[in-house]
Amino acid sequence: MAQWKDMAAKPTDTATSPASVSQPGKVYLVGAGPGDPGLITVRGRECLAEADLVLYDGLVNPLLLRHSHAKAQRTCRMEGPEGRRLDQAEINRQLVEAGLSGLTVVRLKGGDPFIFGRGTEEAAALAAAGIPFEVVPGITAATAAAVYTGISLTHRDHASAVAFVTGHEDPLKAESALDYAALARFPGTLVFYMGLHRLPTIAAKLMAEGKVSTTPTAVVSRATSPLQRTVIAPLECIAKVVAEAGLHAPSLVIVGDCVQVREVAHWFEDRPLFGKKIAITRPDDQADAAIDLAWRMGALPIPLPTIEISPPEDWSAVDAALSRLGEYDWLIFTSVNGVAGLLDRLWDQGGDARKLGHCQIAAIGPGTAAALKTYGLRCDLMPDEFRAEALGAALSSHVATRRVLWARANRGRDVLPRELSAAGAHVDQVVVYQNQDVTAWPDEAVQQLEAGELDWIALSSPSIANQVAQLLPAAAHVHLGRKTRIAAISPVTAEAAKEAGLPVHAVATDYTWPGLLNAIARATSE
Ligand code: SAH
C-alpha cells in the first residue's frame, strides 16, 4: 500500500530452519492493528519474536517487522519488480505448507484478522490440514480511526449502537447483500470499510432510503499514521468534498451524529511533528528508539542508514585488554556500541562485571550511560556537554599518571586520546566494533529524496553527515532548504555537514536524538 511504501523494514533474511520437519509447526494469525506500530498487542509482539516466517499483508506497517528476526514476505499489493498479488487460495496454501514444514509462522494482518480480514478462511485451511494455530485479535480500523480523529462512535448523546459495514461487496454476488433501507433506519453510527471508491453510491443509496442528508459524515484516510487525514461534511456533499481533497486508501467512512463532536476531542493531528517525513540516519540496529520517538511525535520516520556496525575482524587486542582489566583505573565509553562491544565480549569470554573491579567508568552522554545501566553499571563521570572535548576536559583532572582504556570504533575523532595523554594519562585504545559506510540506499528512499518528498534529514554524527553528503543523489540537492531540510545533533555535526556541502537548518541544543527531534519541531513551528 502506498501508505507504507516509504518505510524500509529492517532486513529480515535470516530464516531459521525448523528444528524438526516431522512435527507440524504452529501458525499465529495476528492482528497488526491499524497502522500505528504501537497498536499491536503484547501477545502479537511475542508471536513476532518467536516466528521463523512472517507473511504480512498490504495494510501492515513494516516497522512491526523490527520485532522479528524472521524471514518476512509481503503477500499482496506489492509494487516493483517482485510485485505480485497473491490470491487468498495461494496464501492459504503457503500457510499450510510452512506449517507442515515445522516452521513457526506469523500471518500478520491489518487491524483485526477476523474483521473483513478473511482470517477465518485461513484458520479453516489450517484446521483442515491439522496444523495447530492461534488467533490474536487486533485493534480494528473503525475504533482506531474514530479515536485518532477524536470521534466517539457510541457517544451517549448521539448513538446507542454502531454497525461495521463493507462498502465493497464480493463482486461475484449477483445482488447486494446490503439492505440500505435497514442501514438508513439503523439507530446509531455506520462505519463503512472499503467504501472510498463507492462513496457517491453509498451516500446516494442511504439518502434514497431516507437517511437525513445533513447527517455529519467523516472520511478518515490512513488512520493512526502520520499521514492521517480527516474530511468532514454533511452526507449529501461528502463525496464531492472527499474527491476535492484527494484522499487516499485505506479510508473509512463514518456516518452519524457522533461525528459532530470531533472538534472537541481532536488530539492526534496536533502532535509537534505531525505528517513530517524524517530520514533517520542511525545504523539500522540502533534506530529503534529514534524511530519510536519520531513516530510518537507524529512524524513518519524513514530509515536511511548510512553506517553499518559489525564486530571487529580480530578480537585479540580486546581479549588482551580484558585479561588485564584490573590494571586500568578508568574505562571510557563514547557510544552504545562501545559498551556492548566490550561488555558482550567480556561475557562471551566467561567474565562479567566483577572483572571491572575498582575501575571507574566515564560515559560521553546519556545514551551511553543508559547502555551501561543495562549491564548493571553506573558511570562515575559524564560531561555536561555530550562531546569528546567536554569528556576529555572533565576527565583531565582525574587521569594524571592513571591507566585508561577506551573502547572505541575502528574510526572516529582522536580528540580524546590526545587530551588524556596531554593530561598525563596512559591511554590504551581497543577497537570493539567496526563502523562501515553503507554504499547505497534503497531505491525507494532515493526516489523520495529525488522527488523532494522528505521533509527532514536528521544527522546524528559527523561521519554520518559526510556519508549523507556522499550518498545524496544529485537530483535531491535542488530540494535542500526548500522541500528537504537538514538537522544536526550538535554543532560539531553541523560543522561537518556544512564542510561536506550540506546546508543545516536546525541544530539540537541537547545532543541526543530527543534533542534532535525537538530541534526539528522548533524549526517546523517557526
Ligand atoms: N481487518 C482490517 C480490515 C481489512 S479491510 C481491520 O480490522 O481493520 C480493509 C479496509 O479497512 C480498508 O479498505 C479501509 O476501509 C479499512 N482500513 C484499514 N486500515 C485503515 C486505516 N489505517 N485507515 C483507514 N481505514 C483503514
Side-chain angles (χ1 to χ4, degrees), residues 29-116:
L29 300 177
V30 177
D36 181 338
L39 295 183
I40 190 170
T41 61
V42 173
R43 182 68 189 131
R45 263 185 78 158
E46 285 169 0
C47 296
L48 278 174
E50 258 181 57
D52 303 309
L53 173 68
V54 178
L55 295 176
Y56 63 107
D57 77 18
L59 285 170
V60 168
N61 185 338
L63 285 177
L64 285 173
L65 302 175
R66 300 180 77 86
H67 299 307
S68 171
H69 296 291
K71 179 177 163 61
Q73 193 186 325
R74 189 161 226 168
T75 52
C76 71
R77 296 177 204 240
M78 294 202 301
E79 290 163 18
E82 10 138 50
R84 135 185 124 84
R85 194 181 175 132
L86 301 182
D87 68 19
Q88 190 61 50
E90 220 172 323
I91 295 170
N92 295 353
R93 223 170 14 250
Q94 272 198 13
L95 286 175
V96 167
E97 215 171 89
L100 285 176
S101 73
L103 294 174
T104 300
V105 183
V106 165
R107 168 67 174 137
L108 194 57
K109 296 169 76 73
D112 180 280
F114 282 9
I115 300 269
F116 301 126

Side-chain angles (χ1 to χ4, degrees), residues 333-340 364 367-368 371 406-409 433:
F333 295 100
T334 48
S335 67
V336 171
N337 288 308
V339 174
I364 196 165
T368 307
W406 178 28
R408 62 169 300 175
Y433 67 97

Side-chain angles (χ1 to χ4, degrees), residues 214-229:
T214 53
T215 308
T217 304
V219 175
V220 191
S221 119
R222 298 171 166 183
T224 78
S225 92
L227 304 178
Q228 172 173 307
R229 286 179 66 197

Side-chain angles (χ1 to χ4, degrees), residues 96-413:
V96 167
E97 215 171 89
L100 285 176
S101 73
L103 294 174
T104 300
V105 183
V106 165
R107 168 67 174 137
L108 194 57
K109 296 169 76 73
D112 180 280
F114 282 9
I115 300 269
F116 301 126
R118 306 188 71 169
T120 44
E121 293 166 50
E122 294 171 5
L126 293 165
I131 296 166
F133 67 91
E134 181 179 319
V135 188
V136 182
I139 297 182
T140 191
T143 53
V147 167
Y148 271 53
T149 205
I151 292 169
S152 163
L153 297 176
T154 56
H155 191 291
R156 66 195 305 262
D157 296 339
H158 302 289
S160 47
V162 56
F164 295 167
V165 187
T166 172
H168 174 86
E169 293 181 86
D170 187 340
L172 301 177
K173 276 190 206 160
E175 278 180 33
S176 170
L178 285 183
D179 179 345
Y180 275 91
L183 289 175
R185 276 197 317 274
F186 183 74
T189 308
L190 301 173
V191 185
F192 289 88
Y193 286 67
M194 299 170 280
L196 186 64
H197 300 297
R198 300 195 61 237
L199 186 55
T201 314
I202 292 170
K205 284 192 172 174
L206 285 174
M207 287 186 293
E209 296 294 349
K211 189 87 185 162
V212 177
S213 62
T214 53
T215 308
T217 304
V219 175
V220 191
S221 119
R222 298 171 166 183
T224 78
S225 92
L227 304 178
Q228 172 173 307
R229 286 179 66 197
T230 308
V231 164
I232 294 181
L235 184 59
E236 60 190 338
C237 42
I238 189 74
K240 183 164 163 280
V241 175
V242 164
E244 282 165 6
L247 292 192
H248 295 277
S251 288
L252 278 173
V253 183
I254 305 175
V255 185
D257 288 337
C258 65
V259 166
Q260 71 201 38
V261 186
R262 180 198 186 229
E263 286 311 316
V264 183
H266 166 277
W267 61 278
F268 174 63
E269 293 165 17
D270 305 335
R271 291 183 168 186
L273 292 176
F274 185 73
K276 300 286 172 230
K277 290 188 183 172
I278 301 182
I280 306 288
T281 54
R282 222 168 142 60
D284 199 63
D285 54 348
Q286 291 158 29
D288 288 351
I291 286 175
D292 284 353
L293 182 62
W295 190 284
R296 292 290 136 234
M297 291 175 76
L300 187 66
I302 313 285
L304 198 68
T306 50
I307 284 173
E308 273 166 1
I309 303 297
S310 56
E313 275 164 15
D314 179 2
W315 284 105
S316 53
V318 180
D319 292 346
L322 287 175
S323 69
R324 314 187 292 270
L325 264 183
E327 295 171 21
Y328 290 102
D329 302 297
W330 279 92
L331 277 184
I332 302 185
F333 295 100
T334 48
S335 67
V336 171
N337 288 308
V339 174
L342 191 80
L343 296 176
D344 287 348
R345 184 67 183 177
L346 176 61
W347 181 267
D348 293 345
Q349 296 292 84
D352 60 30
R354 287 170 297 178
K355 287 260 190 268
L356 304 184
H358 68 282
C359 263
Q360 292 201 282
I361 298 179
I364 196 165
T368 307
L372 283 164
K373 189 176 172 200
T374 64
Y375 293 84
L377 295 170
R378 199 180 281 282
C379 69
D380 301 291
L381 183 145
M382 185 171 81
D384 294 335
E385 233 189 313
F386 314 138
R387 51 193 286 188
E389 286 81 355
L391 179 58
L395 272 167
S396 58
S397 58
H398 300 277
V399 294
T401 76
R402 301 288 182 201
R403 291 187 71 98
V404 171
L405 178 66
W406 178 28
R408 62 169 300 175
N410 57 322
R411 60 180 187 180
R413 300 162 71 226

